[in-house]
Amino acid sequence: MKKIKRYFRRALHRMQKGPGYTYKELLVWFCDNTNTHGPKRIVTEGPKKRVMWFIMTIVFAALVFWQWGILIQTYLSYGVSVSLGIGFKAMEFPAVTVCNSNPFKYSKVKPFVKELDNLVATALDRIQFSSQTGPNAATPSNGTQNVTLDSKLLNRISLLVIDENDPNNPIVYNIFDSSIDYSQVNATASQNQTFYAERFKVVMKLCKENSDCIYRNFTSGIQAIKEWYMIQFSSIFSKLQEQEKIDMGFKAEDMILTCLFGGQACSYRNFTHIYDPDYGNCYIFNWGQEGRELLSSANPGTDFGLKLVLNIEQEEYIPFLEATAAARLILHQQKSFPFLKDLGIYAMPGTETSIAILVDNIQHLEAPYSSCTVDGSDLSVTNLYSKYNSSYSIQSCLRSCFQEEMIVRCGCAYYLYPLPEDTKYCNNDDNPDWVPCYYELINSVADRETCIEYCRQPCNDTQYKMAISLADWPSAGAEDWIYHVLSYEKDGSETITVNRKGILKLNIYFQEFNYRSIGESAATNVVWLLSNLGGQFGFWMGGSVLCIVEFGEIIIDCIWITCLKFLAWNKDRKQRRRRPQYSDPPPTVSELVEAHTNLGFHHEDLDHINMPVPGTPPPNYDSLRIRNMDVIEAISSDEDD
């Protein structure tokens, strides 16, 4: 260990031999040998110019470091520059998903929703009856007034009508309370001609067990009835298997009547089936799943796109579930899940809808330039849509995040989102408090912001911009023969089984083959940083890279000098520890000699101070003793002999 310390100390001395052993020597050596202009003038000029050059050097050095700080901060911000490019090529046709806005055929689901429909019919009659005023007010129909209400369906989820004729004493009526005499309600209502919207409010009352109730206000009975119906509908259908729901939906062969792509005939067999909880059976053209080859459009224009004739069978709509008669469609990337409720558009029956497509390819830089994700595998949210073999998207992440929070907070899964493993959908029987819990969750701003923080945008994305135009179809002169042909092709019937309320036509095509490519590139890089650092240093100090090396050298030399000083201080401290410590000044030489030769000699302060015994007694010098001259001569003669 001592050899290592000795070698290290010698190495420090050899390395520091040139510049000097003090900070002053080091500073003078640096100013005299550096290639920058200012420090060299400090040591070579006269006193007055030396001060001037010293001030200028300090000021310009401060400017250099200030500029360097700004440049480094700009580089570490990882800014990006966006470039827009326009290209021209034959492009792959997007995936096209079409659905019926009504998820199920009413004739097949009627046994499941019969009691629910009776409840809604009763609610509608009572809402209308409570709002009627005047002597000609009608009475409730016998068929709905005497309906027996099923408490299992209600399950602490009720609809209220609030009569605010007297704002200080509002009257609350439970629509599903059969004990209320609505003739008395009508009698009081006939005395005031206040408008319905100003007097009556419809409220949904949601109660938890052993907890306070929450209320959702609606401006219209339509909104209240539809939302209440959807909640009860979800509870009923959450208990059914997916295959049962698929069987109750619209079949591809019944919905897709004609198909033409690029001038070539196609059929419903060219579509891939997928089940969507919001819209039931949906069918995707050119999805790219199951090893199917992706289709490309040969030319832009309507003749080289996709042409469809769809039959939505409006007579099979569930009356209280879906009030919009249309087809729902979306254009999206291949192998991506179609989020029709969030991003889809409607195509109304009795029209020809033409959709011209423009393509935008968007590319984001990965970390640290942005927070995008390639496939979502680096996120804390499990993608529940991965079972569809689909790519990552923001919608899939947000829905998966909401579903996870729903399971944690409410103990069950939301019906309209995919079901995770080892969980079940919410229903009124097994989870009587799920509806208030669900509304608390969707109304929580903090929970929504948490999911937004968890989810990130994809690094690569393709967006389809659509230009939509509508026209009546078929025309008055062509509708007879078109209806006959479509009816015969649909089910072989010579009678007309399709009509303007049920069929629609779609034209989807590229408007042009010019596509826009929007990409990000790094606004700064290492080359940019080094060139700007060097430029600022050269402008203010007249230096180069070698000057920076010299500056680094003086820093290293300062470290060496500090190490040497520390070693010297440590060595001196150890030596001081080994020396004897005296409380008084050390004795003089004469006092030590007298104490050694005269045993009767004592220090004058010996009684008061106990002097420690020296580690080594002084030598017994004979030259300090008084002897006779004869004795000395005798000794000298003996030594000569």
Side-chain angles (χ1 to χ4, degrees):
M1 190 66 182
K2 292 182 179 180
K3 292 182 179 180
I4 295 175
K5 291 182 179 179
R6 190 180 301 113
Y7 176 79
F8 179 69
R9 190 181 300 110
R10 290 178 179 176
L12 288 176
H13 281 284
R14 286 194 296 268
M15 295 179 66
Q16 198 57 34
K17 188 174 182 180
Y21 285 96
T22 64
Y23 296 112
K24 182 178 180 181
E25 293 176 353
L26 179 62
L27 182 61
V28 173
W29 178 88
F30 172 76
C31 293
D32 190 42
N33 292 275
T34 183
N35 291 319
T36 54
H37 304 308
K40 186 175 293 186
R41 302 294 292 272
I42 294 174
V43 297
T44 58
E45 296 290 345
K48 294 182 179 180
K49 288 188 176 181
R50 184 179 300 175
V51 173
M52 182 189 68
W53 279 102
F54 177 77
I55 295 174
M56 291 176 60
T57 301
I58 294 299
V59 171
F60 291 154
L63 288 173
V64 168
F65 286 114
W66 174 59
Q67 292 290 336
W68 280 6
I70 294 176
L71 292 172
I72 294 174
Q73 184 180 6
T74 303
Y75 173 74
L76 294 179
S77 64
Y78 298 107
V80 298
S81 59
V82 179
S83 59
L84 176 63
I86 299 178
F88 177 84
K89 67 175 184 180
M91 291 178 290
E92 293 179 349
F93 199 77
V96 180
T97 301
V98 293
C99 312
N100 199 326
S101 60
N102 185 74
F104 308 110
K105 289 186 176 182
Y106 187 54
S107 59
K108 295 185 178 181
V109 302
K110 195 171 183 178
F112 298 95
V113 297
K114 183 178 181 180
E115 294 184 45
L116 181 60
D117 288 349
N118 290 335
L119 283 173
V120 174
T122 300
L124 287 174
D125 272 2
R126 291 178 178 178
I127 290 175
Q128 295 171 359
F129 181 71
S130 63
S131 65
Q132 291 173 356
T133 59
N136 297 324
T139 57
S141 61
N142 295 331
T144 57
Q145 181 68 20
N146 298 323
V147 169
T148 302
L149 305 179
D150 189 354
S151 60
K152 292 183 179 180
L153 285 179
L154 300 180
N155 195 28
R156 298 194 294 273
I157 306 172
S158 57
L159 287 175
L160 308 179
V161 173
I162 302 177
D163 185 355
E164 295 182 344
N165 184 42
D166 184 1
N168 297 324
N169 297 295
I171 303 174
V172 180
Y173 302 103
N174 189 336
I175 294 177
F176 300 115
D177 188 358
S178 301
S179 62
I180 297 177
D181 186 359
Y182 280 85
S183 61
Q184 297 298 324
V185 176
N186 183 56
T188 58
S190 62
Q191 300 174 4
N192 196 308
Q193 299 296 327
T194 307
F195 288 108
Y196 174 78
E198 298 177 0
R199 177 174 177 179
F200 294 96
K201 306 296 181 185
V202 182
V203 177
M204 185 186 299
K205 182 180 180 181
L206 308 171
C207 299
K208 287 185 178 181
E209 187 176 2
N210 301 324
S211 179
D212 296 334
C213 299
I214 61 175
Y215 299 87
R216 287 181 58 84
N217 298 327
F218 299 91
T219 58
S220 171
I222 294 176
Q223 297 173 336
I225 289 294
K226 191 174 185 302
E227 189 161 335
W228 185 87
Y229 188 91
M230 183 62 199
I231 291 173
Q232 302 296 345
F233 188 89
S234 301
S235 175
I236 295 172
F237 277 74
S238 63
K239 303 176 185 179
L240 302 179
Q241 298 296 325
E242 183 173 304
Q243 187 58 46
E244 295 182 77
K245 291 179 282 189
I246 292 175
D247 294 338
M248 290 186 290
F250 294 87
K251 305 300 182 183
E253 54 269 26
D254 297 330
M255 181 177 176
I256 304 172
L257 300 183
T258 67
C259 176
L260 198 69
F261 177 73
Q264 301 294 324
C266 54
S267 69
Y268 68 89
R269 296 182 180 87
N270 297 100
F271 289 75
T272 303
H273 171 267
I274 189 173
Y275 177 77
D276 185 273
D278 290 293
Y279 299 104
N281 294 333
C282 295
Y283 303 97
I284 308 177
F285 179 81
N286 197 35
W287 196 19
Q289 299 279 20
E290 301 174 357
R292 293 187 178 183
E293 183 180 356
L294 297 180
L295 301 176
S296 299
S297 183
N299 285 296
T302 183
D303 293 334
F304 299 93
L306 178 65
K307 296 183 179 182
L308 297 174
V309 174
L310 305 179
N311 181 22
I312 62 173
E313 300 184 52
Q314 193 173 156
E315 65 277 2
E316 285 282 2
Y317 272 43
I318 303 174
F320 300 117
L321 179 65
E322 184 56 54
T324 302
R328 190 76 168 174
L329 71 144
I330 184 176
L331 310 181
H332 55 99
Q333 280 184 285
Q334 282 77 19
K335 297 184 179 180
S336 64
F337 189 87
F339 294 95
L340 290 116
K341 189 173 184 180
D342 300 330
L343 306 175
I345 61 174
Y346 283 118
M348 62 183 297
T351 62
E352 179 177 347
T353 303
S354 297
I355 303 175
I357 310 170
L358 292 174
V359 182
D360 287 344
N361 294 323
I362 303 175
Q363 295 181 348
H364 299 281
L365 291 178
E366 300 180 24
Y369 296 97
S370 70
S371 59
C372 71
T373 178
V374 177
D375 54 5
S377 59
D378 54 340
L379 303 181
S380 58
V381 179
T382 303
N383 186 10
L384 300 179
Y385 291 86
S386 59
K387 66 179 182 179
Y388 297 100
N389 194 25
S390 61
S391 58
Y392 170 83
S393 65
I394 294 180
Q395 286 77 15
S396 64
C397 180
L398 292 175
R399 290 191 174 200
S400 300
C401 179
F402 179 86
Q403 190 72 295
E404 289 182 1
E405 191 65 23
M406 181 78 181
I407 294 172
V408 173
R409 297 269 291 273
C410 306
C412 56
Y414 183 46
Y415 168 70
L416 296 180
Y417 293 168
L419 183 66
E421 296 181 359
D422 302 326
T423 57
K424 61 179 182 179
Y425 285 124
C426 298
N427 62 79
N428 294 341
D429 295 332
D430 299 331
N431 313 98
D433 295 333
W434 79 272
V435 179
C437 179
Y438 164 74
Y439 280 112
E440 289 178 0
L441 188 59
I442 63 173
N443 293 330
S444 174
V445 177
D447 291 327
R448 292 200 301 268
E449 290 181 348
T450 300
C451 287
I452 292 174
E453 291 177 359
Y454 287 158
C455 299
R456 304 175 189 172
Q457 62 181 348
C459 292
N460 298 314
D461 191 17
T462 300
Q463 296 181 358
Y464 298 98
K465 307 297 182 181
M466 295 178 287
I468 304 174
S469 59
L470 298 175
D472 284 339
W473 184 86
S475 63
E479 62 181 2
D480 289 338
W481 72 267
I482 289 179
Y483 292 154
H484 277 91
V485 172
L486 291 177
S487 299
Y488 182 79
E489 292 177 345
K490 177 178 179 294
D491 49 19
S493 174
E494 295 183 358
T495 59
I496 296 177
T497 56
V498 297
N499 52 51
R500 183 176 292 274
K501 294 182 179 180
I503 63 170
L504 58 97
K505 186 177 181 181
L506 291 176
N507 295 325
I508 304 171
Y509 56 92
F510 283 114
Q511 183 175 346
E512 55 187 21
F513 272 0
N514 292 335
Y515 67 93
R516 295 190 305 175
S517 178
I518 303 173
E520 293 180 346
S521 59
T524 59
N525 51 32
V526 176
V527 175
W528 176 91
L529 179 64
L530 293 178
S531 62
N532 281 276
L533 292 177
Q536 294 296 327
F537 188 62
F539 178 76
W540 294 106
M541 297 292 293
S544 61
V545 177
L546 294 178
C547 298
I548 299 176
V549 175
E550 291 174 353
F551 186 75
E553 181 185 9
I554 192 175
I555 294 177
I556 296 174
D557 290 337
C558 287
I559 295 174
W560 296 148
I561 291 176
T562 304
C563 293
L564 290 174
K565 288 183 176 294
F566 175 77
L567 292 175
W569 172 83
N570 189 38
K571 183 179 180 181
D572 183 65
R573 183 175 60 86
K574 291 181 179 179
Q575 289 178 353
R576 286 199 304 269
R577 285 183 177 180
R578 288 197 295 265
R579 295 174 184 172
Q581 301 295 327
Y582 299 94
S583 59
D584 286 339
T588 62
V589 175
S590 60
E591 289 177 344
L592 291 174
V593 173
E594 184 67 20
H596 182 71
T597 58
N598 187 1
L599 299 178
F601 175 80
H602 296 283
H603 194 274
E604 59 182 0
D605 297 331
L606 188 61
D607 297 336
H608 304 284
I609 300 174
N610 294 326
M611 184 178 298
V613 179
T616 303
N620 190 7
Y621 295 105
D622 291 339
S623 62
L624 298 179
R625 297 179 182 179
I626 300 175
R627 297 184 182 183
N628 296 327
M629 294 298 296
D630 298 338
V631 178
I632 294 174
E633 291 176 357
I635 293 174
S636 300
S637 62
D638 292 340
E639 291 177 354
D640 293 338
D641 296 339

